[in-house]
Amino acid sequence: MVAVASTEQIGCQDDYAGYNLRLPTIQSHLFTVPESVPENDLVNATATAPTASIDPSPLRANTSDTVQQTVAAMATAVKTYALVYGGEVLMGVFGYANVAQATAELADLSEVLVEQWMTPLSQLQPLGPCLAWPLALSALYPEQLYLSVVDQAHHWLGLLAPDGFYTLPRFAAAATDQAELTACHYSVALFQQQQERLALALKGAQMGTWDWDLSQGTIVISDEQERLLGLAPGEFGGTYETLFTHVHQEDQATVQQALQQAIQLGQRYGIEFRVLHNDGNTRWLSSRGQVFKDSEQTSRLAGVTLDISEQKRVEAEIKLQSQRERLVAKIAQRIRRVLDLDSILAQTVTSVQEFIEADRVIVVQCEADMSGQVIQEACSSSYLPMLGWAMRDPWSVGEKFLAHYRAGRGLAVENIYTQNLPASQLEFLEYFQIQAEIVVPLLQDQTLWGLLIAHQCQAPRTWRMADVRLLQNLATQVGIAIQQAKMHQELTLANQRLQRMAYLDGLTQVANRRRLEQYLDQEWRRMSRENGSIALIMADIDCFKGYNDLYGHQAGDVCLRLVARILTRAAKRPGDLVARYGGEEFVIVLPNTYLEGAETVAEDIRLMIRSHRIPHEESVVARVVTLSLGVASAQPASDGSSADLIKQADEALYMAKNEGRDQVRVASPKRSH
């Protein structure tokens, strides 16, 4: 018995499938329609009458199965039919009508094969005209060439294939409408399902949509778009004026300009802007869209909006990280070029203050007793300076924290008033208006050398981990600078010692002859440039051989050292130089000194030596040590050379000795030609 259907003409919406279909009103005399439709039936939500659907799990039988086996499988699966396959090829369809036919002909159901009583695929009747295969069905059933169409009671109606719908000849009239309806409703349901999935995807991606009808001036936005723009439910009035109410004041002109330009030129737009939400948060949004023309008179501007706040945060963090790395590299490069530790510390505190926007940054140098003193500072003019102060900050000199710093670890204090500090420590912090701080150690060879400290004075501050890492990285570089400065200082002292050894007479500790010649040449050239005068005094201890013979060479050495000290006291100016010329002879170089002045100095030296009354029983002059001195002077700009000056002083000394010793003789001035 076949269901009798009366039909009325309807049409599916063009947006869905584009079919012009017949909706059947079926009064079935074969079965009862169930009260509920299986969950896999996507069509039931849109149908108002009994409809057909795709069976997602048709029963599969093999041509080698007996009829009895197939019927048992149908009963177990609660199916009214089975698709019969020969290997992987569909051969036909087997239903209870086929069972009835085999029974009527007294076939042994336990022996006969199902392929003998099935309806072969070739006997199914195609419907005309050919029904288009919905594309969505291919996506849902990619592995099935033939789809079984069943009614709501899951009775088999036919097979839906890419080239049409096939059914039994006796079902053709009713099945045609059922199959057409199945395709249309599947398209409708799948479209609705895709819309729901798209809406969920947009919401999950925090992406809103909006559609502006430019001819009508109305705007339709999604719930997510409303939320993204910071609008409260119901706040958006459907107009342009209320759409961008919460856009940041600095970005409103940019947004309006981009949209108006897109409308005027009919082009795409892409903008990024900030929105101020009612909770005080600022969110970054990215909006993209374009103008669409439905007709010559009708156009609309549609687009999507995405929350890019996290992207902006990451971009800002990357930018800050890059700036931090450049700052550390800059200081590291300076450390390699500059050996002046004070200069490096000054640049460090200034750079840190500017970069992390701290109110004060200081360097505290720790003493042996772990007391601390501020040796460098960069401070805002609004707050008291701390340079030169001894630190009583609990996080700077507290013993438990010093152990923390010696291990190379720093700390960050966000609010001093949450630290349960004693009143005396709070008083110190409040005096300098310190409300938050970062402290990192400065280590030299794993020893605590000092502390790098950043202060926030205006208010408590939640320090970012990036700020702490920056100070730690800079502290590492400063530690290198401290070590480098120490090595440079040690090297400088070593060089000075070597220089003294190279330029000093080992016995008397005055300049040696090498230093004398170098210094005399240097001052000769300087006086030549300045058109100045330079004088030279050459002194010799009288009868010194007899002194050594009588008192011994050790006593002679003591005498030489004593004379050298007296000469050094007599050479009072910083530029005057006393040198041992050889044996018991000494030379005093007097830059910017004329002959008369040098003669006075020589006479003072002679008297100073006599006044010390160093015993000398073998002297033919007196019973004490005496000096004979020769004085010469020259104008380097016009008078010969430094060698000539030494020769003149030596000649004057010879005259002093030759004329009785213990006296000063002056060389005759050299005449200019």
Side-chain angles (χ1 to χ4, degrees):
M1 193 171 190
V2 181
V4 179
S6 61
T7 61
E8 58 185 15
Q9 190 77 16
I10 70 162
C12 278
Q13 299 180 35
D14 292 342
D15 288 342
Y16 298 150
Y19 298 120
N20 188 17
L21 305 174
R22 293 181 177 275
L23 177 62
T25 302
I26 304 177
Q27 300 173 355
S28 175
H29 303 284
L30 291 176
F31 47 82
T32 302
V33 178
E35 294 182 358
S36 62
V37 182
E39 294 180 358
N40 60 13
D41 185 0
L42 298 176
V43 184
N44 62 6
T46 59
T48 58
T51 62
S53 65
I54 302 296
D55 185 353
S57 56
L59 179 64
R60 177 168 176 158
N62 293 319
T63 53
S64 59
D65 294 338
T66 64
V67 171
Q68 185 175 342
Q69 290 174 330
T70 304
V71 171
M74 289 165 57
T76 301
V78 195
K79 296 287 186 180
T80 61
Y81 74 99
L83 298 181
V84 182
Y85 282 82
E88 295 299 322
V89 179
L90 179 62
M91 306 299 293
V93 182
F94 182 82
Y96 284 117
N98 302 96
V99 177
Q101 184 180 0
T103 303
E105 297 189 18
L106 303 177
D108 186 353
L109 302 185
S110 63
E111 294 293 336
V112 296
L113 300 179
V114 69
E115 69 173 334
Q116 297 176 244
W117 296 98
M118 69 179 184
T119 302
L121 200 61
S122 60
Q123 292 184 12
L124 297 180
Q125 179 178 331
L127 299 181
C130 181
L131 186 65
W133 177 276
L135 294 178
L137 296 181
S138 299
L140 283 175
Y141 307 101
E143 303 299 329
Q144 300 185 35
L145 183 61
Y146 298 97
L147 303 179
S148 291
V149 179
V150 296
D151 60 19
Q152 285 188 318
H154 287 259
H155 289 84
W156 186 81
L157 295 176
L159 294 177
L160 187 61
D163 59 345
F165 182 76
Y166 295 84
T167 186
L168 296 173
R170 62 182 181 278
F171 287 168
T176 299
D177 293 329
Q178 293 277 19
E180 291 176 343
L181 186 63
T182 298
C184 178
H185 281 203
Y186 255 84
S187 297
V188 172
L190 288 172
F191 178 80
Q192 291 175 342
Q193 189 181 65
Q194 289 170 352
Q195 280 191 315
E196 293 172 359
R197 290 176 178 172
L198 177 60
L200 289 174
L202 291 174
K203 185 175 182 179
Q206 294 184 311
M207 183 180 293
T209 60
W210 67 299
D211 185 358
W212 182 5
D213 189 326
L214 299 175
S215 60
Q216 298 294 328
T218 58
I219 301 176
V220 178
I221 66 174
S222 66
D223 293 342
E224 187 65 16
Q225 178 81 6
E226 187 176 46
R227 186 191 67 79
L228 289 174
L229 291 175
L231 299 169
E235 183 179 356
F236 175 54
T239 62
Y240 179 83
E241 289 72 19
T242 58
L243 183 61
F244 299 111
T245 302
H246 298 290
V247 172
H248 196 286
Q249 187 68 31
E250 296 177 1
D251 298 339
Q252 286 188 0
T254 302
V255 172
Q256 294 179 9
Q257 180 180 0
L259 295 179
Q260 293 302 323
Q261 186 174 359
I263 293 171
Q264 293 172 5
L265 302 179
Q267 63 183 17
R268 295 177 180 271
Y269 76 89
I271 47 175
E272 294 180 355
F273 56 94
R274 290 163 291 175
V275 170
L276 300 177
H277 284 222
N278 291 329
D279 60 3
N281 288 329
T282 299
R283 307 295 295 179
W284 272 98
L285 304 181
S286 174
S287 185
R288 300 286 185 272
Q290 70 178 92
V291 173
F292 298 91
K293 291 188 177 294
D294 297 337
S295 63
E296 293 184 1
Q297 292 79 23
T298 305
S299 60
R300 59 199 327 113
L301 180 63
V304 297
T305 303
L306 178 67
D307 189 326
I308 58 170
S309 301
E310 180 62 18
Q311 174 185 333
K312 285 292 185 180
R313 185 195 67 78
V314 173
E315 289 176 355
E317 182 61 32
I318 292 174
K319 182 178 179 181
L320 281 174
Q321 178 64 23
S322 177
Q323 292 174 343
R324 286 193 293 269
E325 291 174 354
R326 286 199 297 270
L327 177 59
V328 173
K330 180 179 178 181
I331 293 180
Q333 186 177 14
R334 182 174 179 82
I335 289 172
R336 289 192 292 270
R337 294 198 319 265
V338 179
L339 297 175
D340 181 11
L341 181 60
D342 288 338
S343 173
I344 293 171
L345 294 178
Q347 183 188 15
T348 300
V349 295
T350 301
S351 300
V352 170
Q353 186 199 20
E354 294 176 354
F355 192 83
I356 68 173
E357 298 179 344
D359 294 322
R360 183 191 295 114
V361 178
I362 60 175
V363 172
V364 177
Q365 184 172 8
C366 297
E367 304 297 338
D369 60 356
M370 286 298 111
S371 61
Q373 184 176 12
V374 180
I375 62 171
Q376 279 292 348
E377 178 184 38
C379 182
S380 170
S381 59
S382 303
Y383 304 102
L384 290 173
M386 298 183 70
L387 189 63
W389 274 74
M391 291 298 295
R392 290 191 290 114
D393 184 333
W395 299 289
S396 300
V397 295
E399 182 56 38
K400 67 176 182 179
F401 294 109
L402 289 174
H404 185 79
Y405 301 143
R406 291 188 191 103
R409 298 191 296 271
L411 61 85
V413 179
E414 297 180 351
N415 188 342
I416 64 170
Y417 296 104
T418 62
Q419 304 299 311
N420 300 319
L421 297 175
S424 59
Q425 294 177 343
L426 272 178
E427 183 180 359
F428 176 83
L429 296 172
E430 289 173 344
Y431 179 79
F432 288 104
Q433 298 173 273
I434 300 169
Q435 298 204 43
E437 67 178 313
I438 301 175
V439 185
V440 295
L442 300 174
L443 301 178
Q444 176 193 358
D445 288 337
Q446 306 304 314
T447 301
L448 183 61
W449 181 90
L451 301 170
L452 177 61
I453 305 175
H455 290 155
Q456 198 68 24
C457 301
Q458 184 177 12
R461 174 172 176 175
T462 300
W463 300 102
R464 297 178 302 172
M465 183 55 65
D467 297 332
V468 179
R469 283 199 299 267
L470 172 63
L471 264 70
Q472 289 175 329
N473 290 338
L474 289 176
T476 300
Q477 296 300 322
V478 172
I480 296 173
I482 294 170
Q483 179 66 18
Q484 186 171 287
K486 178 185 176 183
M487 294 174 61
H488 176 66
Q489 184 180 21
E490 292 174 349
L491 180 61
T492 300
L493 292 174
N495 286 335
Q496 289 173 351
R497 287 193 296 269
L498 289 173
Q499 191 174 44
R500 282 197 298 271
M501 292 173 62
Y503 289 159
L504 292 182
D505 177 65
L507 175 63
T508 62
Q509 294 299 299
V510 297
N512 58 19
R513 186 163 180 171
R514 177 183 179 186
R515 174 59 177 159
L516 168 66
E517 293 172 350
Q518 181 191 64
Y519 187 73
L520 180 59
D521 180 65
Q522 168 189 314
E523 292 301 303
W524 184 274
R525 285 185 278 109
R526 185 169 72 89
M527 292 300 101
S528 178
R529 291 193 301 271
E530 298 176 4
N531 197 25
S533 177
I534 186 169
L536 199 72
I537 300 174
M538 186 170 285
D540 183 79
I541 302 175
D542 295 330
C543 306
F544 189 68
K545 183 179 182 303
Y547 188 95
N548 278 332
D549 292 343
L550 178 62
Y551 299 104
H553 287 283
Q554 288 184 339
D557 292 344
V558 172
C559 180
L560 288 171
R561 283 195 288 268
L562 181 57
V563 170
R565 283 198 295 271
I566 296 171
L567 295 177
T568 301
R569 286 197 296 271
K572 301 175 182 179
R573 298 179 304 175
D576 297 342
L577 178 74
V578 176
R580 185 181 180 190
Y581 195 66
E584 65 273 18
E585 287 187 328
F586 294 88
V587 172
I588 301 98
V589 180
L590 302 172
N592 274 317
T593 304
Y594 291 99
L595 188 61
E596 295 79 2
E599 184 179 6
T600 300
V601 173
E603 183 62 23
D604 290 343
I605 291 172
R606 187 186 71 80
L607 295 176
M608 289 173 67
I609 294 294
R610 279 192 71 95
S611 66
H612 275 73
R613 305 192 66 80
I614 305 170
H616 189 353
E617 295 294 334
E618 289 294 317
S619 174
V620 298
V621 180
R623 295 291 182 239
V624 294
V625 172
T626 58
L627 287 183
S628 297
L629 302 101
V631 180
S633 177
Q635 292 285 126
S638 57
D639 292 346
S641 65
S642 59
D644 294 335
L645 182 62
I646 293 175
K647 183 178 180 182
Q648 292 177 45
D650 188 47
E651 290 174 351
L653 174 62
Y654 179 78
M655 286 190 295
K657 283 185 169 293
N658 200 39
E659 294 177 7
R661 299 184 175 89
D662 188 23
Q663 57 185 285
V664 176
R665 286 292 177 263
V666 177
S668 300
K670 186 177 180 181
R671 298 181 181 276
S672 301
H673 298 286

